[in-house]
């Protein structure tokens, strides 16, 4: 969105409104919500390593292996509820597949 032009001080017209100076506020604690720390990243990786993938995640990876990206998206959307979550999950599963393939090629080279 384009930056709004400065207010004129008049109460009519396109830039109507009282002229004020914008205050620089300190960051709020709620701005940090959802930021992944080192500890959270470590714990999630450990849980994924121990517990493995959920059945629907395994199905998505199988669909991605055979090249059915759209079907994988549909499965993920059905399980997760929203299109954006499904896209993120599909991308996550495809990155896991890429890592598995690269690890496999590294094993073969040795």
């Amino acid at each position: 969105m384009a930056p709004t032009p400065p207010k004129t001080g008049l109460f009519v017209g396109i830039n109507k409104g009282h002229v004020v100076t914008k205050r620089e506020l300190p960051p709020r604690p709620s701005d940090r919500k959802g930021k992944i720390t080192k500890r959270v990243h470590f714990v999630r990786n450990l849980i994924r390593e121990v517990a493995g993938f959920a059945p629907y995640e395994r199905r998505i990876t199988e669909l991605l292996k055979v090249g059915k990206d759209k079907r994988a998206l549909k499965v993920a959307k059905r399980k997760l509820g929203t299109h954006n979550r499904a896209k993120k999950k599909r991308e996550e599963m495809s990155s896991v597949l890429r890592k598995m393939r690269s690890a496999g090629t590294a094993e073969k080279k040795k």
Side-chain angles (χ1 to χ4, degrees), residues 19-108:
V19 180
V20 292
T21 56
K22 191 84 170 154
R23 289 171 53 205
E24 192 60 45
L25 298 173
R28 302 179 72 137
S30 62
D31 293 344
R32 288 193 310 272
K33 185 179 188 315
K35 187 173 187 331
I36 296 177
T37 60
K38 282 191 286 188
R39 182 187 172 95
V40 169
H41 184 69
F42 171 75
V43 170
R44 284 184 185 166
N45 284 343
L46 184 68
I47 290 170
R48 175 51 56 95
E49 196 177 308
V50 172
F53 294 106
Y56 83 95
E57 291 175 330
R58 286 198 294 271
R59 182 165 178 217
I60 291 169
T61 52
E62 287 299 317
L63 288 167
L64 289 170
K65 279 180 190 172
V66 295
K68 300 214 177 257
D69 289 27
K70 191 169 184 181
R71 173 58 57 190
L73 182 70
K74 283 186 173 186
V75 168
K77 186 175 182 300
R78 188 88 181 97
K79 289 292 178 180
L80 297 171
T82 68
H83 187 68
N84 282 334
R85 287 177 187 169
K87 286 197 296 188
K88 191 173 176 188
K89 180 60 77 174
R90 181 180 63 174
E91 192 55 44
E92 180 190 332
M93 291 292 117
S94 60
S95 70
V96 165
L97 272 176
R98 273 195 300 276
K99 284 180 186 167
M100 284 167 61
R101 283 193 188 120
S102 65
T105 55
E107 293 281 327
K108 288 178 184 175

